[in-house]
Amino acid sequence: MTPSREQLEQWDREHVWHPFTPMQAYAAEQPLIIAEARGCFLVDLDGREYLDGVSSLWCNVHGHRVPELDEALRQQLDAVAHSTLLGLSNVPAIRLARRLVELAPPGLNHVFYSDDGATAVEVALKMAFQYWRQCPSPRPEKTRYLALTRAYHGDTLGDVSIGDIDRFHGLFRPLLFPIVRAPSPYCYRCPLGLERSSCKIDCAEELEDLIGRHAETLAAVAIEPLVQGAAGMIVAPQGYLHRVREATRRHHVLMIADEVAVGFGRTGTLFACTQEDVRPDFLCLAKGLTGGYLPMAATLTTDEVYNAFLGPPSAGRTFYHGHTYTGNPLGSAVALANLDLLQSPSGLSSLPEKIERLRGHLNRLGDLAVVGDVRQKGMMAGIELVKDRNTKEPFPADQRMGARVCRLARERGVLLRPLGDTIVVMPPLAIDLPLLDHLGDVLYESIKRTIS
Ligand SMILES: *Cc1c(COP(=O)(O)O)cnc(C)c1O
C-alpha cells in the first residue's frame, strides 16, 4: 500500500538527511514532496504544479517525462540495465564515447566515465598528477593545482581542496591540500578593486603571472569556463577563458575545464569552451549529460594524456581509479537521446530567442532597489540582492533574503533555489516563451514582495 502523505512527511523528517540543507529548519517546515512531473513542471503529492526554475539543480535539459528520453530508457531496459565497465564494455557506453568525442572540442579523444560532477573533476585531478610522473619527460615535481577564489568543483576532498566557498569548505581545511589561488573574475565586487568599464581584465593578468611563477610545480589549472556557478553565477569577461588556455599552454600546465554546470547548451552552445575557441586538456561533464535523468559523468582527455598511461601491466602505468556504476548502459542510452534532442531543430538552435527573452526579464529587475547585480550567460542567470545599491552592502546573512524570495516564488508556483543572496534562474532549455514570461513575472513579484 502507498504510504499516506502524513506518513511520508514523517519518514522524510525522521530518516532523510538532505544535502546542503540546514536540517533543523527543514524539519520545522512542511516538506515539499514531489510525486511526479510533466514538461517543465514538478507536481507535489496534492497535484500542485511547480515550474522547475532551476532545472532540478541545473540538470534537466528538456524538461521532465520527455517522450524521446523515456523511450530510450525503456528500450535499453529490454537489453541490459547494468554491466561493469571494469575490463568489459557495453554498447551504449561505446556509442556515447564516440559521440562525445565527435561533439567536444577537437583532440579530446578519450572518455573516462564516472557518476557525478565531483568524480568527473576528481578524475581529472588524479590523471593530471599521474600524467606528469609518466609522460615522456617526467616532471614529478608538478604536484600542485591552481584554482580560482570562489571556485566550486564538487564535494569530494580533492574537489573541496580546489574549491573556495568558505561556507561549504572552510571547516575541512585541515584535511585539504594547498592550492595556488588566482582572483575570481567577479566584476561586481572586483577582488583587485577595479571597474570593468576601465580595467584591462587585470585578474587574467594576475592569473597569468601566478601560472608563470608556479609553473615548475603546477600540474594543472582547474576552471569553470565562462561562469563560476555555485559562486553565484559569476560571468567572466569575454576573453578571460582564452587567456587561461594560452597561459597554461605557454607554461606547460594542464587545463581542466569543469563544464559540469555550463555544459549541454546552458550557455547557448553545446560546450562553453568553444565560445572562446578553447581546447582544454580535460573536459569534465555531468549534470546535463543525461538530460537530468540519471547520475552519470565523463572526463574527456587528449591522446597526449592517454598515451602516458600505456605500457605493459607490469610497468604500473594504469589509472587505478573507477566507480562501480561507471559507463552504466541506462545512463549512456539516455545521454545519447539527450544529445539527439540537443542537435534537433528544437534543441540548441531554439536558444537565442529564449536567451533574449530571459535577458528582457532580467533587465526589468533593475527597477527594484535591492537588485545589486544581474548576471546572465545564455540560459543561466544570477540576481545578487544587496541592502544598499550604492555601497553594495550585502544583507545580513540571518535575514536569508535569497531564501525568502525563493519561498515567495514557491507560493506562486515557481521553484527556485538561491546561492546565499543570489537568486539563480536556470530553467530547462526546453521552456517555451510564455512560460519564460511567467517565470520572469513571478521572479519580479517575489523580489518586490520580499522588500515591501
Ligand atoms: C554541481 C557541480 C559540480 C559537482 O557535481 P555533482 O554532480 O554535484 O557532484 C562540479 N562542478 C561544478 C562546476 C558544478 O556546478
Side-chain angles (χ1 to χ4, degrees), residues 132 142 146 148 182 201 203-216 218-221 223 239-256 276 278-279 281:
W132 289 115
K142 280 163 108 38
L146 182 146
L148 300 189
I201 319 186
C203 55
E205 197 174 313
E206 172 106 7
L207 176 134
E208 289 160 351
D209 283 354
L210 282 166
I211 293 173
R213 234 181 302 148
H214 297 281
E216 288 298 307
L218 277 182
V221 169
I223 191 134
Y240 179 89
L241 185 68
H242 191 78
R243 286 174 68 173
V244 177
R245 176 69 282 190
E246 293 294 299
T248 48
R249 192 160 275 145
R250 198 159 58 240
H251 294 288
H252 304 287
V253 175
L254 297 169
M255 176 180 178
I256 300 170
E276 301 208 353
V278 162
R279 193 214 81 183
D281 298 293

mmCIF file of all heavy atoms in Angstrom, residues 132 142 146 148 182 201 203-216 218-221 223 239-256 276 278-279 281:
data_model
loop_
_atom_site.group_PDB
_atom_site.id
_atom_site.type_symbol
_atom_site.label_atom_id
_atom_site.label_comp_id
_atom_site.label_asym_id
_atom_site.label_seq_id
_atom_site.Cartn_x
_atom_site.Cartn_y
_atom_site.Cartn_z
ATOM 1 N N TRP A 132 52.097 13.673 -15.134
ATOM 2 C CA TRP A 132 53.424 14.294 -15.028
ATOM 3 C C TRP A 132 54.473 13.317 -14.526
ATOM 4 O O TRP A 132 55.664 13.531 -14.700
ATOM 5 C CB TRP A 132 53.366 15.550 -14.145
ATOM 6 C CG TRP A 132 52.650 16.689 -14.818
ATOM 7 C CD1 TRP A 132 51.466 17.264 -14.435
ATOM 8 C CD2 TRP A 132 53.063 17.392 -16.006
ATOM 9 N NE1 TRP A 132 51.119 18.269 -15.304
ATOM 10 C CE2 TRP A 132 52.080 18.374 -16.281
ATOM 11 C CE3 TRP A 132 54.158 17.269 -16.869
ATOM 12 C CZ2 TRP A 132 52.167 19.245 -17.370
ATOM 13 C CZ3 TRP A 132 54.247 18.132 -17.958
ATOM 14 C CH2 TRP A 132 53.251 19.105 -18.205
ATOM 15 N N LYS A 142 55.731 18.381 -10.470
ATOM 16 C CA LYS A 142 54.463 19.068 -10.779
ATOM 17 C C LYS A 142 53.332 18.347 -10.045
ATOM 18 O O LYS A 142 52.745 17.394 -10.551
ATOM 19 C CB LYS A 142 54.236 19.102 -12.292
ATOM 20 C CG LYS A 142 55.042 20.218 -12.983
ATOM 21 C CD LYS A 142 55.138 19.988 -14.466
ATOM 22 C CE LYS A 142 54.344 20.903 -15.357
ATOM 23 N NZ LYS A 142 54.210 22.298 -15.067
ATOM 24 N N LEU A 146 46.284 25.047 -9.515
ATOM 25 C CA LEU A 146 45.830 26.429 -9.371
ATOM 26 C C LEU A 146 44.329 26.455 -9.621
ATOM 27 O O LEU A 146 43.831 25.815 -10.558
ATOM 28 C CB LEU A 146 46.546 27.350 -10.367
ATOM 29 C CG LEU A 146 46.182 28.840 -10.278
ATOM 30 C CD1 LEU A 146 47.403 29.718 -10.607
ATOM 31 C CD2 LEU A 146 45.033 29.229 -11.215
ATOM 32 N N LEU A 148 40.591 29.134 -8.822
ATOM 33 C CA LEU A 148 40.147 30.498 -8.547
ATOM 34 C C LEU A 148 39.550 30.627 -7.153
ATOM 35 O O LEU A 148 39.047 29.652 -6.582
ATOM 36 C CB LEU A 148 39.090 30.932 -9.564
ATOM 37 C CG LEU A 148 39.505 30.944 -11.032
ATOM 38 C CD1 LEU A 148 38.413 31.603 -11.871
ATOM 39 C CD2 LEU A 148 40.827 31.644 -11.235
ATOM 40 N N ALA A 182 44.068 32.105 -7.682
ATOM 41 C CA ALA A 182 44.005 33.314 -8.503
ATOM 42 C C ALA A 182 42.653 33.980 -8.265
ATOM 43 O O ALA A 182 41.679 33.305 -7.935
ATOM 44 C CB ALA A 182 44.164 32.954 -9.976
ATOM 45 N N ILE A 201 41.054 43.625 -17.725
ATOM 46 C CA ILE A 201 40.948 42.256 -17.218
ATOM 47 C C ILE A 201 42.243 41.923 -16.471
ATOM 48 O O ILE A 201 42.919 40.925 -16.748
ATOM 49 C CB ILE A 201 40.608 41.237 -18.329
ATOM 50 C CG1 ILE A 201 39.551 41.800 -19.282
ATOM 51 C CG2 ILE A 201 40.081 39.943 -17.724
ATOM 52 C CD1 ILE A 201 39.044 40.830 -20.324
ATOM 53 N N CYS A 203 42.620 40.765 -13.645
ATOM 54 C CA CYS A 203 42.582 39.493 -12.921
ATOM 55 C C CYS A 203 43.177 38.383 -13.783
ATOM 56 O O CYS A 203 43.814 37.463 -13.266
ATOM 57 C CB CYS A 203 41.162 39.152 -12.477
ATOM 58 S SG CYS A 203 39.956 39.134 -13.811
ATOM 59 N N ALA A 204 42.972 38.478 -15.110
ATOM 60 C CA ALA A 204 43.564 37.476 -16.002
ATOM 61 C C ALA A 204 45.082 37.620 -16.004
ATOM 62 O O ALA A 204 45.817 36.636 -16.055
ATOM 63 C CB ALA A 204 43.003 37.622 -17.412
ATOM 64 N N GLU A 205 45.526 38.862 -15.938
ATOM 65 C CA GLU A 205 46.971 39.085 -15.900
ATOM 66 C C GLU A 205 47.574 38.498 -14.626
ATOM 67 O O GLU A 205 48.624 37.858 -14.651
ATOM 68 C CB GLU A 205 47.248 40.583 -15.976
ATOM 69 C CG GLU A 205 48.670 40.894 -16.350
ATOM 70 C CD GLU A 205 48.865 42.385 -16.559
ATOM 71 O OE1 GLU A 205 48.033 42.988 -17.265
ATOM 72 O OE2 GLU A 205 49.824 42.923 -15.994
ATOM 73 N N GLU A 206 46.863 38.707 -13.534
ATOM 74 C CA GLU A 206 47.304 38.147 -12.246
ATOM 75 C C GLU A 206 47.386 36.614 -12.336
ATOM 76 O O GLU A 206 48.340 35.997 -11.868
ATOM 77 C CB GLU A 206 46.301 38.579 -11.170
ATOM 78 C CG GLU A 206 46.506 37.928 -9.836
ATOM 79 C CD GLU A 206 47.103 38.874 -8.807
ATOM 80 O OE1 GLU A 206 47.234 40.078 -9.104
ATOM 81 O OE2 GLU A 206 47.447 38.390 -7.715
ATOM 82 N N LEU A 207 46.379 36.024 -12.961
ATOM 83 C CA LEU A 207 46.367 34.572 -13.131
ATOM 84 C C LEU A 207 47.547 34.120 -14.004
ATOM 85 O O LEU A 207 48.237 33.141 -13.689
ATOM 86 C CB LEU A 207 45.028 34.149 -13.741
ATOM 87 C CG LEU A 207 44.850 32.678 -14.073
ATOM 88 C CD1 LEU A 207 43.508 32.183 -13.577
ATOM 89 C CD2 LEU A 207 44.951 32.435 -15.559
ATOM 90 N N GLU A 208 47.796 34.865 -15.068
ATOM 91 C CA GLU A 208 48.932 34.534 -15.943
ATOM 92 C C GLU A 208 50.242 34.602 -15.159
ATOM 93 O O GLU A 208 51.103 33.718 -15.282
ATOM 94 C CB GLU A 208 48.971 35.502 -17.137
ATOM 95 C CG GLU A 208 47.842 35.277 -18.130
ATOM 96 C CD GLU A 208 47.561 36.472 -19.051
ATOM 97 O OE1 GLU A 208 48.124 37.567 -18.821
ATOM 98 O OE2 GLU A 208 46.771 36.307 -19.991
ATOM 99 N N ASP A 209 50.389 35.639 -14.353
ATOM 100 C CA ASP A 209 51.595 35.777 -13.524
ATOM 101 C C ASP A 209 51.757 34.588 -12.587
ATOM 102 O O ASP A 209 52.844 34.034 -12.438
ATOM 103 C CB ASP A 209 51.509 37.045 -12.651
ATOM 104 C CG ASP A 209 51.806 38.294 -13.464
ATOM 105 O OD1 ASP A 209 52.187 38.146 -14.642
ATOM 106 O OD2 ASP A 209 51.637 39.401 -12.920
ATOM 107 N N LEU A 210 50.658 34.222 -11.938
ATOM 108 C CA LEU A 210 50.706 33.117 -10.977
ATOM 109 C C LEU A 210 51.082 31.809 -11.665
ATOM 110 O O LEU A 210 51.875 31.019 -11.150
ATOM 111 C CB LEU A 210 49.357 32.975 -10.268
ATOM 112 C CG LEU A 210 49.081 33.979 -9.156
ATOM 113 C CD1 LEU A 210 47.608 33.967 -8.771
ATOM 114 C CD2 LEU A 210 49.947 33.680 -7.926
ATOM 115 N N ILE A 211 50.517 31.583 -12.845
ATOM 116 C CA ILE A 211 50.851 30.359 -13.581
ATOM 117 C C ILE A 211 52.342 30.375 -13.920
ATOM 118 O O ILE A 211 53.047 29.379 -13.735
ATOM 119 C CB ILE A 211 49.993 30.226 -14.855
ATOM 120 C CG1 ILE A 211 48.522 30.004 -14.490
ATOM 121 C CG2 ILE A 211 50.489 29.062 -15.721
ATOM 122 C CD1 ILE A 211 47.566 30.017 -15.688
ATOM 123 N N GLY A 212 52.825 31.524 -14.400
ATOM 124 C CA GLY A 212 54.236 31.636 -14.750
ATOM 125 C C GLY A 212 55.142 31.400 -13.545
ATOM 126 O O GLY A 212 56.116 30.653 -13.607
ATOM 127 N N ARG A 213 54.770 32.003 -12.426
ATOM 128 C CA ARG A 213 55.603 31.922 -11.231
ATOM 129 C C ARG A 213 55.653 30.511 -10.649
ATOM 130 O O ARG A 213 56.643 30.088 -10.074
ATOM 131 C CB ARG A 213 55.049 32.890 -10.175
ATOM 132 C CG ARG A 213 56.102 33.852 -9.661
ATOM 133 C CD ARG A 213 55.557 34.781 -8.599
ATOM 134 N NE ARG A 213 54.432 35.584 -9.051
ATOM 135 C CZ ARG A 213 53.427 35.971 -8.256
ATOM 136 N NH1 ARG A 213 53.387 35.597 -6.988
ATOM 137 N NH2 ARG A 213 52.466 36.729 -8.729
ATOM 138 N N HIS A 214 54.539 29.765 -10.775
ATOM 139 C CA HIS A 214 54.455 28.443 -10.148
ATOM 140 C C HIS A 214 54.525 27.296 -11.153
ATOM 141 O O HIS A 214 54.279 26.147 -10.785
ATOM 142 C CB HIS A 214 53.171 28.336 -9.327
ATOM 143 C CG HIS A 214 53.102 29.294 -8.182
ATOM 144 N ND1 HIS A 214 53.766 29.074 -6.995
ATOM 145 C CD2 HIS A 214 52.477 30.487 -8.046
ATOM 146 C CE1 HIS A 214 53.538 30.090 -6.167
ATOM 147 N NE2 HIS A 214 52.761 30.963 -6.784
ATOM 148 N N ALA A 215 54.849 27.615 -12.410
ATOM 149 C CA ALA A 215 54.787 26.599 -13.472
ATOM 150 C C ALA A 215 55.581 25.338 -13.123
ATOM 151 O O ALA A 215 55.158 24.223 -13.448
ATOM 152 C CB ALA A 215 55.286 27.191 -14.787
ATOM 153 N N GLU A 216 56.705 25.521 -12.437
ATOM 154 C CA GLU A 216 57.567 24.369 -12.117
ATOM 155 C C GLU A 216 56.853 23.309 -11.298
ATOM 156 O O GLU A 216 57.156 22.131 -11.412
ATOM 157 C CB GLU A 216 58.788 24.848 -11.309
ATOM 158 C CG GLU A 216 59.802 25.636 -12.115
ATOM 159 C CD GLU A 216 60.388 24.790 -13.238
ATOM 160 O OE1 GLU A 216 60.868 23.683 -12.926
ATOM 161 O OE2 GLU A 216 60.329 25.220 -14.405
ATOM 162 N N LEU A 218 53.291 23.310 -10.868
ATOM 163 C CA LEU A 218 51.854 23.185 -11.164
ATOM 164 C C LEU A 218 51.581 22.009 -12.107
ATOM 165 O O LEU A 218 52.128 21.944 -13.207
ATOM 166 C CB LEU A 218 51.324 24.462 -11.816
ATOM 167 C CG LEU A 218 50.941 25.634 -10.911
ATOM 168 C CD1 LEU A 218 50.394 26.775 -11.752
ATOM 169 C CD2 LEU A 218 49.920 25.209 -9.852
ATOM 170 N N ALA A 219 50.693 21.118 -11.675
ATOM 171 C CA ALA A 219 50.239 20.039 -12.551
ATOM 172 C C ALA A 219 49.128 20.548 -13.463
ATOM 173 O O ALA A 219 49.115 20.260 -14.654
ATOM 174 C CB ALA A 219 49.728 18.867 -11.728
ATOM 175 N N ALA A 220 48.206 21.318 -12.900
ATOM 176 C CA ALA A 220 47.050 21.736 -13.691
ATOM 177 C C ALA A 220 46.379 22.968 -13.106
ATOM 178 O O ALA A 220 46.518 23.259 -11.919
ATOM 179 C CB ALA A 220 46.019 20.602 -13.772
ATOM 180 N N VAL A 221 45.658 23.656 -13.976
ATOM 181 C CA VAL A 221 44.759 24.736 -13.581
ATOM 182 C C VAL A 221 43.335 24.223 -13.769
ATOM 183 O O VAL A 221 43.013 23.668 -14.826
ATOM 184 C CB VAL A 221 44.976 25.987 -14.453
ATOM 185 C CG1 VAL A 221 43.873 27.014 -14.222
ATOM 186 C CG2 VAL A 221 46.337 26.604 -14.188
ATOM 187 N N ILE A 223 39.277 25.169 -13.870
ATOM 188 C CA ILE A 223 38.456 26.364 -14.071
ATOM 189 C C ILE A 223 37.046 25.979 -14.510
ATOM 190 O O ILE A 223 36.846 24.978 -15.186
ATOM 191 C CB ILE A 223 39.138 27.289 -15.113
ATOM 192 C CG1 ILE A 223 38.473 28.652 -15.157
ATOM 193 C CG2 ILE A 223 39.159 26.677 -16.492
ATOM 194 C CD1 ILE A 223 39.452 29.773 -15.159
ATOM 195 N N GLY A 239 37.017 36.817 -23.259
ATOM 196 C CA GLY A 239 38.452 36.711 -23.497
ATOM 197 C C GLY A 239 39.223 36.113 -22.332
ATOM 198 O O GLY A 239 40.362 35.683 -22.491
ATOM 199 N N TYR A 240 38.583 36.067 -21.161
ATOM 200 C CA TYR A 240 39.263 35.565 -19.956
ATOM 201 C C TYR A 240 39.676 34.102 -20.132
ATOM 202 O O TYR A 240 40.838 33.727 -19.902
ATOM 203 C CB TYR A 240 38.334 35.740 -18.759
ATOM 204 C CG TYR A 240 38.901 35.248 -17.456
ATOM 205 C CD1 TYR A 240 39.644 36.085 -16.639
ATOM 206 C CD2 TYR A 240 38.698 33.939 -17.039
ATOM 207 C CE1 TYR A 240 40.174 35.636 -15.441
ATOM 208 C CE2 TYR A 240 39.225 33.475 -15.847
ATOM 209 C CZ TYR A 240 39.955 34.322 -15.055
ATOM 210 O OH TYR A 240 40.481 33.872 -13.871
ATOM 211 N N LEU A 241 38.717 33.276 -20.556
ATOM 212 C CA LEU A 241 38.973 31.843 -20.669
ATOM 213 C C LEU A 241 40.098 31.565 -21.668
ATOM 214 O O LEU A 241 40.969 30.721 -21.431
ATOM 215 C CB LEU A 241 37.690 31.131 -21.113
ATOM 216 C CG LEU A 241 37.766 29.612 -21.151
ATOM 217 C CD1 LEU A 241 37.890 29.036 -19.754
ATOM 218 C CD2 LEU A 241 36.542 29.026 -21.858
ATOM 219 N N HIS A 242 40.073 32.297 -22.759
ATOM 220 C CA HIS A 242 41.095 32.133 -23.785
ATOM 221 C C HIS A 242 42.484 32.412 -23.203
ATOM 222 O O HIS A 242 43.450 31.700 -23.496
ATOM 223 C CB HIS A 242 40.795 33.084 -24.949
ATOM 224 C CG HIS A 242 41.624 32.804 -26.157
ATOM 225 N ND1 HIS A 242 41.350 31.764 -27.014
ATOM 226 C CD2 HIS A 242 42.741 33.414 -26.620
ATOM 227 C CE1 HIS A 242 42.257 31.748 -27.976
ATOM 228 N NE2 HIS A 242 43.115 32.736 -27.767
ATOM 229 N N ARG A 243 42.553 33.413 -22.359
ATOM 230 C CA ARG A 243 43.847 33.747 -21.749
ATOM 231 C C ARG A 243 44.313 32.666 -20.792
ATOM 232 O O ARG A 243 45.521 32.394 -20.680
ATOM 233 C CB ARG A 243 43.755 35.115 -21.047
ATOM 234 C CG ARG A 243 43.727 36.250 -22.073
ATOM 235 C CD ARG A 243 43.499 37.597 -21.459
ATOM 236 N NE ARG A 243 44.619 38.061 -20.639
ATOM 237 C CZ ARG A 243 44.682 39.294 -20.115
ATOM 238 N NH1 ARG A 243 43.695 40.174 -20.348
ATOM 239 N NH2 ARG A 243 45.717 39.662 -19.387
ATOM 240 N N VAL A 244 43.378 32.019 -20.116
ATOM 241 C CA VAL A 244 43.747 30.905 -19.243
ATOM 242 C C VAL A 244 44.391 29.798 -20.081
ATOM 243 O O VAL A 244 45.436 29.240 -19.731
ATOM 244 C CB VAL A 244 42.524 30.345 -18.491
ATOM 245 C CG1 VAL A 244 42.922 29.148 -17.637
ATOM 246 C CG2 VAL A 244 41.878 31.424 -17.619
ATOM 247 N N ARG A 245 43.761 29.508 -21.214
ATOM 248 C CA ARG A 245 44.295 28.468 -22.089
ATOM 249 C C ARG A 245 45.684 28.829 -22.624
ATOM 250 O O ARG A 245 46.603 28.006 -22.623
ATOM 251 C CB ARG A 245 43.314 28.206 -23.234
ATOM 252 C CG ARG A 245 43.783 27.219 -24.283
ATOM 253 C CD ARG A 245 43.878 25.759 -23.817
ATOM 254 N NE ARG A 245 45.052 25.407 -23.018
ATOM 255 C CZ ARG A 245 45.396 24.160 -22.697
ATOM 256 N NH1 ARG A 245 44.639 23.135 -23.087
ATOM 257 N NH2 ARG A 245 46.460 23.915 -21.972
ATOM 258 N N GLU A 246 45.828 30.060 -23.066
ATOM 259 C CA GLU A 246 47.117 30.494 -23.606
ATOM 260 C C GLU A 246 48.217 30.383 -22.555
ATOM 261 O O GLU A 246 49.308 29.875 -22.824
ATOM 262 C CB GLU A 246 47.025 31.954 -24.085
ATOM 263 C CG GLU A 246 46.117 32.143 -25.286
ATOM 264 C CD GLU A 246 46.658 31.465 -26.530
ATOM 265 O OE1 GLU A 246 47.768 31.854 -26.952
ATOM 266 O OE2 GLU A 246 45.994 30.543 -27.045
ATOM 267 N N ALA A 247 47.907 30.853 -21.356
ATOM 268 C CA ALA A 247 48.925 30.858 -20.287
ATOM 269 C C ALA A 247 49.290 29.437 -19.876
ATOM 270 O O ALA A 247 50.465 29.129 -19.655
ATOM 271 C CB ALA A 247 48.426 31.656 -19.090
ATOM 272 N N THR A 248 48.300 28.561 -19.769
ATOM 273 C CA THR A 248 48.611 27.187 -19.361
ATOM 274 C C THR A 248 49.463 26.511 -20.437
ATOM 275 O O THR A 248 50.412 25.792 -20.132
ATOM 276 C CB THR A 248 47.335 26.360 -19.092
ATOM 277 O OG1 THR A 248 46.417 26.548 -20.176
ATOM 278 C CG2 THR A 248 46.680 26.780 -17.804
ATOM 279 N N ARG A 249 49.137 26.764 -21.682
ATOM 280 C CA ARG A 249 49.902 26.144 -22.773
ATOM 281 C C ARG A 249 51.347 26.660 -22.758
ATOM 282 O O ARG A 249 52.293 25.897 -22.829
ATOM 283 C CB ARG A 249 49.211 26.463 -24.099
ATOM 284 C CG ARG A 249 49.749 25.643 -25.232
ATOM 285 C CD ARG A 249 48.774 25.588 -26.392
ATOM 286 N NE ARG A 249 47.774 24.538 -26.241
ATOM 287 C CZ ARG A 249 46.521 24.642 -26.648
ATOM 288 N NH1 ARG A 249 46.081 25.738 -27.205
ATOM 289 N NH2 ARG A 249 45.695 23.625 -26.501
ATOM 290 N N ARG A 250 51.462 27.984 -22.641
ATOM 291 C CA ARG A 250 52.788 28.614 -22.662
ATOM 292 C C ARG A 250 53.692 28.055 -21.555
ATOM 293 O O ARG A 250 54.880 27.874 -21.751
ATOM 294 C CB ARG A 250 52.584 30.123 -22.464
ATOM 295 C CG ARG A 250 53.734 30.999 -22.863
ATOM 296 C CD ARG A 250 53.292 32.440 -23.134
ATOM 297 N NE ARG A 250 52.640 33.094 -22.006
ATOM 298 C CZ ARG A 250 51.398 33.572 -22.030
ATOM 299 N NH1 ARG A 250 50.652 33.470 -23.126
ATOM 300 N NH2 ARG A 250 50.869 34.148 -20.968
ATOM 301 N N HIS A 251 53.096 27.771 -20.413
ATOM 302 C CA HIS A 251 53.901 27.364 -19.254
ATOM 303 C C HIS A 251 53.833 25.863 -18.969
ATOM 304 O O HIS A 251 54.224 25.418 -17.893
ATOM 305 C CB HIS A 251 53.459 28.143 -18.017
ATOM 306 C CG HIS A 251 53.739 29.618 -18.115
ATOM 307 N ND1 HIS A 251 55.005 30.134 -18.042
ATOM 308 C CD2 HIS A 251 52.907 30.666 -18.310
ATOM 309 C CE1 HIS A 251 54.946 31.450 -18.169
ATOM 310 N NE2 HIS A 251 53.684 31.803 -18.344
ATOM 311 N N HIS A 252 53.331 25.072 -19.905
ATOM 312 C CA HIS A 252 53.264 23.616 -19.752
ATOM 313 C C HIS A 252 52.545 23.202 -18.475
ATOM 314 O O HIS A 252 53.083 22.472 -17.643
ATOM 315 C CB HIS A 252 54.665 23.000 -19.818
ATOM 316 C CG HIS A 252 55.385 23.366 -21.071
ATOM 317 N ND1 HIS A 252 55.035 22.819 -22.294
ATOM 318 C CD2 HIS A 252 56.360 24.266 -21.324
ATOM 319 C CE1 HIS A 252 55.799 23.355 -23.229
ATOM 320 N NE2 HIS A 252 56.598 24.246 -22.681
ATOM 321 N N VAL A 253 51.355 23.724 -18.342
ATOM 322 C CA VAL A 253 50.480 23.339 -17.238
ATOM 323 C C VAL A 253 49.190 22.832 -17.881
ATOM 324 O O VAL A 253 48.710 23.419 -18.859
ATOM 325 C CB VAL A 253 50.195 24.563 -16.324
ATOM 326 C CG1 VAL A 253 49.185 24.214 -15.247
ATOM 327 C CG2 VAL A 253 51.488 25.087 -15.703
ATOM 328 N N LEU A 254 48.657 21.729 -17.385
ATOM 329 C CA LEU A 254 47.434 21.187 -17.968
ATOM 330 C C LEU A 254 46.232 22.037 -17.562
ATOM 331 O O LEU A 254 46.240 22.697 -16.526
ATOM 332 C CB LEU A 254 47.230 19.735 -17.520
ATOM 333 C CG LEU A 254 48.328 18.756 -17.980
ATOM 334 C CD1 LEU A 254 48.175 17.416 -17.272
ATOM 335 C CD2 LEU A 254 48.296 18.568 -19.498
ATOM 336 N N MET A 255 45.203 22.023 -18.417
ATOM 337 C CA MET A 255 43.997 22.796 -18.123
ATOM 338 C C MET A 255 42.793 21.857 -17.976
ATOM 339 O O MET A 255 42.495 21.069 -18.876
ATOM 340 C CB MET A 255 43.719 23.799 -19.246
ATOM 341 C CG MET A 255 42.432 24.567 -19.057
ATOM 342 S SD MET A 255 42.195 25.730 -20.421
ATOM 343 C CE MET A 255 40.609 26.431 -19.984
ATOM 344 N N ILE A 256 42.150 21.985 -16.821
ATOM 345 C CA ILE A 256 40.940 21.200 -16.540
ATOM 346 C C ILE A 256 39.733 22.121 -16.681
ATOM 347 O O ILE A 256 39.591 23.076 -15.917
ATOM 348 C CB ILE A 256 40.982 20.624 -15.107
ATOM 349 C CG1 ILE A 256 42.190 19.699 -14.928
ATOM 350 C CG2 ILE A 256 39.678 19.893 -14.778
ATOM 351 C CD1 ILE A 256 42.449 19.286 -13.475
ATOM 352 N N GLU A 276 35.186 30.460 -26.750
ATOM 353 C CA GLU A 276 36.460 31.177 -26.817
ATOM 354 C C GLU A 276 37.520 30.312 -27.475
ATOM 355 O O GLU A 276 38.713 30.475 -27.223
ATOM 356 C CB GLU A 276 36.862 31.676 -25.423
ATOM 357 C CG GLU A 276 35.792 32.593 -24.852
ATOM 358 C CD GLU A 276 36.296 33.628 -23.869
ATOM 359 O OE1 GLU A 276 37.470 33.593 -23.499
ATOM 360 O OE2 GLU A 276 35.475 34.484 -23.489
ATOM 361 N N VAL A 278 38.534 27.364 -27.128
ATOM 362 C CA VAL A 278 39.447 26.724 -26.183
ATOM 363 C C VAL A 278 39.319 25.213 -26.254
ATOM 364 O O VAL A 278 38.212 24.668 -26.249
ATOM 365 C CB VAL A 278 39.158 27.226 -24.739
ATOM 366 C CG1 VAL A 278 39.762 26.283 -23.700
ATOM 367 C CG2 VAL A 278 39.707 28.637 -24.557
ATOM 368 N N ARG A 279 40.459 24.559 -26.350
ATOM 369 C CA ARG A 279 40.514 23.109 -26.263
ATOM 370 C C ARG A 279 41.284 22.753 -25.008
ATOM 371 O O ARG A 279 42.497 22.865 -24.961
ATOM 372 C CB ARG A 279 41.233 22.552 -27.500
ATOM 373 C CG ARG A 279 41.068 21.063 -27.661
ATOM 374 C CD ARG A 279 42.320 20.437 -28.251
ATOM 375 N NE ARG A 279 43.310 20.229 -27.193
ATOM 376 C CZ ARG A 279 44.535 19.747 -27.374
ATOM 377 N NH1 ARG A 279 44.958 19.481 -28.575
ATOM 378 N NH2 ARG A 279 45.352 19.548 -26.355
ATOM 379 N N ASP A 281 42.757 20.369 -21.762
ATOM 380 C CA ASP A 281 43.351 19.029 -21.685
ATOM 381 C C ASP A 281 42.378 18.040 -21.052
ATOM 382 O O ASP A 281 42.464 16.844 -21.309
ATOM 383 C CB ASP A 281 44.647 19.085 -20.870
ATOM 384 C CG ASP A 281 45.666 19.979 -21.539
ATOM 385 O OD1 ASP A 281 46.149 19.617 -22.624
ATOM 386 O OD2 ASP A 281 45.944 21.082 -21.007
#
